[in-house]
Structures are given as C-alpha cells and as structure tokens.
Amino acid sequence: MRQMLHAGNERNPLPPARPEKARAARHASPKGSSAPEKGKPAGKQRDPFLDNAKYLTILLVAVGHAWDPLRDDSRTAGALYFVLYTFHMPAFIIISGYLSRSFQGKPKQIQRLITGVAVPYVIFQVVYTFFMRWATDNPDREFHLQEPGFALWFLIALFLWRLTTPIWKNLRWPLPVALAIGAAASVTPTVSGDLNLMRVLQFLPFFVLGLQLRPEHFEMVKRKGMRPVTAAAALVALVFAYWAVPRMSKGWFLHDKAAQDLGVPAWVGLVMYLAVFGCGLVMTVCFLAWVPRRHMWFTALGAGTLYAYLLHIYPIKISREFDWYDMAWVDHPLSRVAITVLAAVMMTLLCTAPVRKVFRFAMEPEMKWFFRPDPAAEARKREQSAPGGQAGSGEGAAVASGAGAQGADAGSQSGQAGSAQSEHAQQSRVV
C-alpha cells in the first residue's frame, strides 16, 4: 500500500527541451550571424556586428584627430572632416548606450564602473598632465582632475551616463527629455566647464537613444536594400559638407560650446542642435548599414577599443605639439592618404591583445581590496562549501527542477527584457 501511494504521488519528470523549437530558432537567426563558439553558452557570445562597429568607429576617431590640422589647407579634407564628425562619436555613443541596457546599479556593476571608467580616468588624467609638462616645457602645469584633457572627456561622460541609466529606463519619454536637456545646454553659455559638462549634456541624447534600441532595430539597418540608399545619402552629405566648409564652424559637431559662443542667437543654436542631431542619426544609419555582419579579421579587436581610445591621445598630441604637420611633405595629397593609413594602423595595433595585456593594470584593475564583500556572494560561497552543498538532496533537486521550469516559463514571457541582460554581456564592462 505504501508503495502504491508513493508511486501515485511521484512527480513526472520534466520533458526534454523541444528540438523543433531549437531548430526553428537556428533557422530564424539573422543572415550573416556567426555560429556560437565551442564551449561557450549562447548567451555569452559577443555579437560580431557590434564588435566590428566598435572597431571601425574607433578607427574613425583617430582618423578625425589626424585630419583636424589638415582642414585649413584643403576644402576636400574639411568636407571629409565635417562628414566624419557628424557621426563617428554619435555612433560610438549609441553603441555604448545599447551595451549599457542591463545596468541596474548592482554592486558588481558599480564596481566595474569604478574600475573600468573612473580609475582609468584618474590614471590617464594624471599621466596626461605629466606628458603635457614635458611636451610643452611647462613643469608648473597643474593637476586638474575636474578638467579632462584631450579626448578624456568621454570617460567622464560615460561614467555619468551609465550611472543615470536606471533613471532613463524609468521615464516614459526618455529621448525627448534627453533632447530637451541637450538643447537647453546648447544655448546656455554658463554651463560649467568642469567635467566638460557641455559635451556630456549635448551628447546625452545619443546615449539615451542607445538605451532604447533593441536587436530588431539593428536588423532593420542590416537589410540588404539599405546599402544603396545609405550610399546615396552619404554622397549627398559629402556634397553638402563641401559647400558648408567655408560657411560653418566645426564647433557644431564638437558640442563643446554654446550657440552664443559660436556667434549666433539662441534660437539659431536650438535649430542647429536639432539639425545636427538629426544628421548624426542619418549618418550613423549609413555607417551601420556598411558594417560587416560576420566575423572578420578585425572582429576580436572590438574588445580593445577603449584601450586604443586612451592610448592614441599621446601620439596625436606629440604630432601637434612638435609641429609635425608643418613639414613640407604633409602638403601633398598622397601624404594625407599616408597620414590616414598611419592613423588606422596605429589604432589597430592599440586594440590588439598584447597591448591590452600590458595596460590592463590601468584599464581594468580588479581592486578587490577597495570594495566591501558582497554579502549575497559570500553566502553563496558558504553554501557551496558546506558538506553536500553542491550535490544537494533529492528534495532540493526537486525544488530546483520546479524553479527551473518556472524560470523557463518566465524567460519565454519576458522576451526582450531577458535578452537585454544576457546578450553581449561581456561587452557591458565599459563600451
């Protein structure tokens, strides 16, 4: 009798994963997507499209810095510079926002934000001060941690943007609010220069836009028919930029000054800010439409973009402080092509694994001694180290099975929320 009762109360085992759904998911994967790497779960895969986009944008950052001194002597170089500055930082910031969607202010995330953004900023700002003391022969140059040096403003901006991510995720209309803040800053000359706050606020809408994007938005950009349309749009932008070079200031693209400081009334500044924002979105779509979807020889370099961003500061500043652009050979058109190639090669080398290994102590320090231990993590360790903690009992296994079934049902209902936290998780450390 006891055996009969026991058999009657026994729970049926969980059914195996349905292979037809797995096959359908594989067949529904976007064209050009790569197969998962061996030995890694699907949720931990890096998206080659995003890594390719990050690598190409960081190349364009260095190319833009290399082109800046060439603008005055060539209208064509000025037009290319205008087109490039319309989208290269907006694209990089949008991707950074997209990869920040899972940020919730958890202890581990705060620690990564400090060790991956704040600490590198302090280190490189101090090093930059010593560097400029040597390069400008000014041993009395002060340490201004509140005034980021050349290109270091992005770390300040990323820190503040990511820290406020939970706020933007709770607003009903986050992008209009961010646009209103950016537009207001663009016509407010009294915005403090500390922390390069003007750029932080004016570029904010691009980061907030990235927070709102989902994988299906990138799939729209990847459509085959987009490339001819975006090529035509880029050509129109280049022609317009050629016309605008003698009529327009580059300050509109740098977002580091108010409209009044650029010599126009406030209402013109508002119109120009919104127009430049719109142009930035259009050109970003044009750029992303041409980013390769599959694994390329440079895909792995997308993991080292922040290394290249910070390290390229010093070669660029040396070329300017020591007047390399005043040499006679620079005036030749082929020399400008050579400068462009050199900038791209430099950034490629700075993204490589050996460089990341050498500078990881400054870019990604662990600093476990700096933070309090996580009570939840400590409790889990104690539970696992306890006798029988890993193996578990039959009752525990049944509870775990039931929880797993509930988790699977919840995961199938959550859709985008689940993918936002698991997808590209490895890249959410910084950008």
Side-chain angles (χ1 to χ4, degrees):
M1 185 68 176
R2 186 186 308 172
Q3 292 177 350
M4 292 175 61
L5 288 174
H6 179 72
N9 291 329
E10 214 171 30
R11 295 182 61 183
N12 293 328
L14 291 175
R18 285 173 278 186
E20 63 273 14
K21 285 196 173 183
R23 284 197 298 268
R26 286 198 298 269
H27 291 307
S29 61
K31 183 179 180 181
S33 61
S34 60
E37 297 178 17
K38 294 181 180 180
K40 291 185 180 181
K44 294 295 185 181
Q45 302 307 307
R46 296 180 69 99
D47 187 343
F49 173 78
L50 293 178
D51 274 336
N52 293 339
K54 288 168 59 182
Y55 167 75
L56 293 175
T57 51
I58 209 65
L59 284 191
L60 295 178
V61 168
V63 169
H65 289 156
W67 282 355
D68 193 17
L70 303 174
R71 295 180 305 105
D72 296 335
D73 299 329
S74 171
R75 188 169 177 176
T76 301
L80 291 171
Y81 179 90
F82 275 15
V83 172
L84 182 60
Y85 266 73
T86 302
F87 74 90
H88 77 304
M89 282 308 297
F92 197 61
I93 293 169
I94 287 173
I95 295 173
S96 299
Y98 179 76
L99 299 178
S100 299
R101 294 173 304 154
S102 62
F103 187 87
Q104 299 174 351
K106 295 180 179 179
K108 282 292 184 183
Q109 293 175 328
I110 295 295
Q111 291 178 20
R112 286 184 176 182
L113 187 62
I114 292 174
T115 58
V117 179
V119 172
Y121 170 76
V122 173
I123 292 175
F124 278 85
Q125 179 69 5
V126 171
V127 171
Y128 181 79
T129 302
F130 282 115
F131 170 81
M132 292 303 292
R133 283 183 175 184
W134 166 75
T136 61
D137 196 19
N138 180 18
D140 297 326
R141 184 184 178 97
E142 296 183 12
F143 292 92
H144 294 295
L145 291 179
Q146 81 283 5
E147 296 179 8
F150 178 76
L152 289 172
W153 68 270
F154 180 71
L155 289 182
I156 291 289
L158 184 61
F159 184 87
L160 297 176
W161 293 336
R162 187 162 285 181
L163 202 60
T164 59
T165 292
I167 297 176
W168 301 111
K169 291 168 67 176
N170 278 279
L171 297 185
R172 188 182 296 271
W173 303 290
L175 184 57
V177 172
L179 267 175
I181 293 173
S186 70
V187 294
T188 309
T190 55
V191 171
S192 173
D194 290 345
L195 305 182
N196 217 321
L197 197 57
M198 182 65 80
R199 269 180 168 164
V200 173
L201 297 178
Q202 289 199 37
F203 276 113
L204 172 65
F206 293 107
F207 183 84
V208 174
L209 174 62
L211 290 175
Q212 311 309 308
L213 295 181
R214 295 297 178 263
E216 53 267 27
H217 296 126
F218 288 98
E219 294 304 319
M220 294 172 61
V221 174
K222 297 177 187 179
R223 290 177 181 173
K224 188 175 181 180
M226 288 292 294
R227 287 189 171 182
V229 176
T230 55
L235 181 61
V236 171
L238 186 59
V239 172
F240 180 80
Y242 189 84
W243 172 85
V245 165
R247 299 172 175 86
M248 189 174 176
S249 169
K250 72 170 186 177
W252 295 111
F253 305 105
L254 300 180
H255 293 298
D256 60 346
K257 293 183 176 63
Q260 294 87 332
D261 296 329
L262 295 174
V264 298
W267 70 269
V268 175
L270 286 174
V271 173
M272 285 296 298
Y273 177 78
L274 296 177
V276 171
F277 177 79
C279 290
L281 291 186
V282 172
M283 294 305 299
T284 297
V285 171
C286 294
F287 165 73
L288 292 176
W290 287 88
V291 172
R293 285 81 160 158
R294 64 184 187 278
H295 274 278
M296 307 291 290
W297 65 266
F298 54 79
T299 300
L301 301 179
T305 51
L306 196 63
Y307 285 79
Y309 183 86
L310 294 177
L311 295 173
H312 92 288
I313 291 173
Y314 305 101
I316 292 294
K317 290 300 291 184
I318 287 176
S319 68
R320 298 183 184 184
E321 295 297 333
F322 291 91
D323 301 324
W324 289 1
Y325 287 91
D326 292 339
M327 294 185 287
W329 68 274
V330 175
D331 293 334
H332 196 279
L334 290 179
S335 300
R336 294 167 183 171
V337 174
I339 290 173
T340 303
V341 173
L342 286 174
V345 171
M346 174 185 69
M347 295 305 273
T348 300
L349 294 176
L350 293 179
C351 287
T352 56
V355 173
R356 299 201 303 268
K357 184 177 181 180
V358 170
F359 289 96
R360 184 167 286 121
F361 76 96
M363 294 293 300
E364 299 179 81
E366 291 189 4
M367 295 180 60
K368 294 181 179 179
W369 55 270
F370 191 73
F371 301 101
R372 292 181 178 179
D374 185 358
E378 294 295 323
R380 285 193 296 269
K381 288 181 180 179
R382 288 194 298 269
E383 183 178 352
Q384 291 177 358
S385 62
Q390 293 182 347
S393 61
E395 182 180 357
V399 172
S401 300
Q406 293 179 355
D409 293 338
S412 63
Q413 295 173 3
S414 60
Q416 294 179 347
S419 62
Q421 296 191 7
S422 62
E423 179 182 290
H424 221 72
Q426 294 163 314
Q427 297 188 25
S428 63
R429 180 173 293 236
V430 180
V431 289

